[in-house]
Amino acid sequence: MSSLRVLIVGASIAGPTAAYWFAKAGAHVTVIERFPTLRTNGQNVDIRTVGVTVMRKIAGMEEAVRARTLSVDGISLVGATGRPYGTVKATGNPEQQSLVSEYEILRGDLAQILFDLTKETENIHYVFGEQVASMRQKGPRSGPIRVDFAHGFPAAEFDLVVACDGATSRTRAMGLACGVRDHIKPMNSWAAFFSTKHDLVDGSRMAQAYSAMGGRFVAIGPSLSGGNQVVLMGINPRHDDDDSMRLFREAMKRGDEALKQFVARYYEGAGWKCEAAVKSMMEAQDFYANESVQVQTPSLYQGHFVLVGDAGYAPGPTGTGTSLAMAGAYVLAGEINKHKGDLMAGLRGYEDQMRPLIKELQRIPPLVPTIFAPQTAWGIWLRNTIFAFVCWTRILELSQRFFASSFADSGKYELPDYKWDPN
C-alpha cells in the first residue's frame, strides 16, 4: 500500500480521519476542501459507540476532545413558562452514555482537532479552495482515476478517490454518474445552529429544551465562549409532503441571510425564549443550517471511487453521523491495508464490514420523531407528562436503550483491530 495515491474530497470529520489512517498505512494522501479555510462552524455533535472506539485508537485525540467538550451537566425539558418537567443528566461515565453524551463537541472544534493531528504528517497534503471538476477512470470499472480540478490545482491520477463531502456530495454524483439528490431519503426536517453572545440560560450548566406546536424544537445550552449554543429545528411528519421543506431548500440555495429570514418566520409566536434566540440568530456570524436526510446507495464504491461518512450513509436524525464517519474512515483504510496489492478486495471488505453497522445506526427507533417534536398542543402536553413520569420513576435509562441505539455504550459494536505496518 506504500505507493497508493489517495485523493480525499472534504476536510471535515471523515476526511482527516481517513487521511490519518491511510497515512498510517503508508499511502500518499491529498485532501481537498472547496472552502478557502477549514470550516469551524456547525452544530454540536456526539462521539458515541464506534466513534469512541476509533477516537481511542488515534494518539492524542481523546485528550484533545475532552479539552473541548461542551460543559453541559444535562438537559432540562421546559414548558412555556420555563418550568422544567424533566431533566436528563450525564452519567459521568463515558462507557455508558445517556441522552447527554460524555463526548459532546462542536463539529468545527472536532474538525480542527483532526486537522491539527494530521496537518504536519509528511505524506498528507491539504489543499483548500479547491474541488473536483471531472473524474475519468482508465478502465470501465477499475484502474487509476484522472482528476481535473476546478481552481488551478494540477490534474493528476489517483489510485483511489474518497468522497467525504457530505450528504449532498457533488463528488458522489460524479463518481456514481447520478444526480446530487439521488440516493437521498428526506426526513422532512431541518435544523439551524448558531452561538449567542448573550447568556439565555442565566449561567446554568444545564441546557434547556422547549417544544412549540408544529414540530418546532429549540435547545439552548452553555458555550465555552461564555454565551450559548442554540439549535432551532423544524420537524414535520415524515409521510407529509410539507411545503416548509420546499421553502427551506429554496432559502438554502439563496444563502445564509435567506435561511435566517425563513427560520425567523417559522418561529414567529413560538413562545418561551424563542424570540430572544431568533434575535441572536440574526446577528450570529457562525450560523449554519442543513436538511436532515439519510443517504442510501446501492454500493459504497464503484471502481476506484468510494464513499465515506455522510456522502455514503448519512443517518438522518439518529445522532450517529459523526461516529459512522469515523468508523467508515478507519475501516476503509484498514481493509485496503489488509488486502495489500488488491485494492478491489479491500473495497469489498469495506462494504462487507460497514453494511451491518450502517443498517443498525441508520435505524430510526419507532415513535422517536413523534415524541421528539409533537405537532399539536395535546401532543406536547402528553409527551411532557410521559417524560416527567419517566424521569420521576427513574426508568429513563431503560427507555433510552429502547428508543435509541445511539445511546448505547462504546462496546456494543466491535470493529476489526487492523495492523498498520506500512511496508
Side-chain angles (χ1 to χ4, degrees):
M1 185 173 174
S2 59
S3 61
L4 198 71
R5 299 158 299 173
V6 179
L7 174 67
I8 295 174
V9 183
S12 188
I13 293 165
T17 307
Y20 176 91
W21 293 110
F22 273 115
K24 194 173 178 66
H28 297 281
V29 184
T30 301
V31 184
I32 65 168
E33 168 60 52
R34 67 187 180 95
F35 286 86
T37 59
L38 188 71
R39 287 181 289 173
T40 55
N41 63 343
Q43 70 265 41
N44 306 359
V45 297
D46 296 337
I47 305 174
R48 299 181 184 270
T49 61
V50 287
V52 175
T53 302
V54 174
M55 175 178 67
R56 288 175 175 171
K57 292 177 180 290
I58 298 177
M61 183 174 176
E62 184 172 10
E63 293 80 2
V65 167
R66 283 192 176 279
R68 295 297 299 172
T69 51
L70 298 172
S71 54
V72 179
D73 290 341
I75 184 167
S76 292
L77 275 70
V78 303
T81 63
R83 184 175 69 86
Y85 54 84
T87 297
V88 182
K89 295 182 178 180
T91 66
N93 177 8
E95 308 303 330
Q96 192 173 10
Q97 300 188 44
S98 72
L99 280 162
V100 181
S101 173
E102 300 298 322
Y103 298 105
E104 184 176 355
I105 186 171
L106 292 176
R107 177 181 289 276
D109 286 347
L110 182 56
Q112 186 70 59
I113 288 169
L114 287 162
F115 175 69
D116 289 344
L117 287 170
T118 55
K119 66 181 180 181
E120 301 298 333
T121 304
E122 183 179 359
N123 48 337
I124 297 176
H125 177 48
Y126 282 91
V127 180
F128 289 93
E130 191 55 273
Q131 58 186 315
V132 174
S134 66
M135 295 189 297
R136 186 170 66 255
Q137 202 149 230
K138 278 197 169 181
R141 294 189 64 81
S142 63
I145 300 177
R146 177 183 169 84
V147 180
D148 293 296
F149 297 92
H151 303 300
F153 191 71
E157 284 190 352
F158 296 91
D159 299 299
L160 184 68
V161 175
V162 186
C164 299
D165 51 341
T168 55
S169 167
R170 303 174 187 180
T171 319
R172 180 182 66 229
M174 294 182 198
L176 300 185
C178 63
V180 170
R181 290 195 65 86
D182 289 355
H183 310 301
I184 285 180
K185 181 180 179 183
M187 296 289 102
N188 215 18
S189 61
W190 53 265
F193 309 88
F194 56 94
S195 62
T196 69
K197 296 178 181 178
H198 308 291
D199 184 6
L200 302 179
V201 294
D202 302 320
S204 174
R205 286 170 53 89
M206 190 73 64
Q208 298 176 4
Y210 166 77
S211 290
M213 289 187 296
R216 293 176 289 182
F217 177 87
V218 56
I220 305 173
S223 169
L224 293 174
S225 63
N228 296 137
Q229 293 298 137
V230 181
V231 55
L232 299 172
M233 303 179 73
I235 303 172
N236 304 290
R238 292 207 307 274
H239 60 271
D240 286 355
D241 185 17
D242 193 273
D243 190 53
S244 68
M245 288 310 305
R246 178 184 61 80
L247 296 174
F248 176 85
R249 292 173 191 140
E250 290 176 356
M252 196 167 187
K253 291 177 182 177
R254 297 197 301 272
D256 285 352
E257 290 307 312
L259 274 172
K260 286 181 178 182
Q261 292 295 334
F262 168 84
V263 175
R265 289 192 298 271
Y266 196 88
Y267 265 81
E268 286 179 356
W272 189 53
K273 298 179 180 180
C274 293
E275 184 177 349
V278 167
K279 182 178 179 181
S280 293
M281 177 191 71
M282 302 305 290
E283 303 169 354
Q285 299 299 308
D286 59 350
F287 175 85
Y288 170 79
N290 63 3
E291 179 182 357
S292 178
V293 301
Q294 286 192 341
V295 173
Q296 299 175 350
T297 61
S299 175
L300 298 180
Y301 68 96
Q302 183 165 296
H304 288 202
F305 171 79
V306 65
L307 303 165
V308 172
D310 283 357
Y313 32 84
T318 64
T320 59
T322 297
S323 296
L324 260 178
M326 293 172 63
Y330 167 78
V331 170
L332 174 63
E335 287 294 318
I336 290 175
N337 189 50
K338 175 182 173 182
H339 296 87
K340 292 182 179 71
D342 191 345
L343 181 60
M344 299 311 295
L347 291 171
R348 288 193 295 271
Y350 168 64
E351 179 102 32
D352 292 343
Q353 289 287 342
M354 289 302 296
R355 278 300 177 189
L357 187 60
I358 293 167
K359 181 179 180 180
E360 176 66 18
L361 296 186
Q362 280 192 335
R363 182 176 62 86
I364 301 174
L367 301 179
V368 162
T370 302
I371 292 172
F372 195 64
Q375 301 295 310
T376 65
W378 161 251
I380 292 172
W381 177 87
L382 181 62
R383 192 277 310 273
N384 293 356
T385 301
I386 293 173
F387 189 77
F389 175 77
V390 166
C391 290
W392 177 72
T393 56
R394 297 185 178 181
I395 62 172
L396 183 60
E397 182 180 350
L398 176 62
S399 66
Q400 287 173 168
R401 287 201 297 267
F402 175 76
F403 283 121
S405 61
S406 60
F407 307 143
D409 64 67
S410 62
K412 181 175 180 180
Y413 309 101
E414 292 187 4
L415 292 177
D417 190 12
Y418 297 111
K419 298 185 183 302
W420 297 96
D421 180 4
N423 299 313

